[in-house]
Amino acid sequence: MAEKSRLRQALSKWADSSDQNQRDLRQSHTTDEAVAIADAPEREQVVVNGVLRTVTLRPRGGVPALEAELDDGSGVITVVWLGRRRITGVDPGRSMTVAGCIGRQGGVPLMFNPRYELRP
């Protein structure tokens, strides 16, 4: 029984820290100009802020494509730069602002070739 309660405590602590991390992300990336990723409308020009979780080189249709997951605490959007293998400064853990139109592919929100600004 004691092991179960330790496991539950560990899981609860992990879940609380994950929730706190998401709240911290939402709070630190909220600005007047940006919308929350979860609230961003499709097929309209939007600006979103967040932190890059992953950055991956993944060819699309034979063309190199740099894909990054941007997380603002409310949701995650995949940002894709077609024809790029690398962009200096676009690394996991980096804060950035992206602007463009959001579409969906397989239920996943995507933004292709957005304007971007790296944030400190």
Side-chain angles (χ1 to χ4, degrees):
M1 264 318 183
E3 285 182 36
K4 259 190 174 178
S5 72
R6 273 190 247 140
L7 177 60
R8 283 191 180 143
Q9 287 174 348
L11 287 172
S12 178
K13 186 183 237 182
W14 176 80
D16 289 345
S17 69
S18 179
D19 290 345
Q20 182 62 45
N21 184 42
Q22 293 301 93
R23 284 191 296 273
D24 291 346
L25 274 175
R26 279 192 301 269
Q27 191 172 37
S28 65
H29 289 90
T30 300
T31 64
D32 292 337
E33 67 180 18
V35 297
I37 290 172
D39 300 332
E42 291 182 34
R43 299 181 184 179
E44 290 181 28
Q45 287 290 321
V46 295
V47 174
V48 295
N49 296 322
V51 174
L52 294 173
R53 290 194 328 191
T54 63
V55 178
T56 309
L57 177 62
R58 187 169 291 141
R60 287 179 169 261
V63 176
L66 188 66
E67 288 189 9
E69 288 184 330
L70 188 69
D71 185 355
D72 73 349
S74 73
V76 177
I77 185 169
T78 301
V79 181
V80 181
W81 288 276
L82 295 171
R84 303 294 296 265
R85 294 182 185 278
R86 172 127 178 74
I87 299 173
T88 303
V90 175
D91 298 305
R94 184 69 188 251
S95 292
M96 71 183 316
T97 299
V98 295
C101 277
I102 296 177
R104 286 199 181 271
Q105 186 174 40
V108 176
L110 293 167
M111 186 180 288
F112 285 96
N113 297 322
R115 291 189 326 270
Y116 67 93
E117 180 181 331
L118 300 174
R119 299 175 58 191

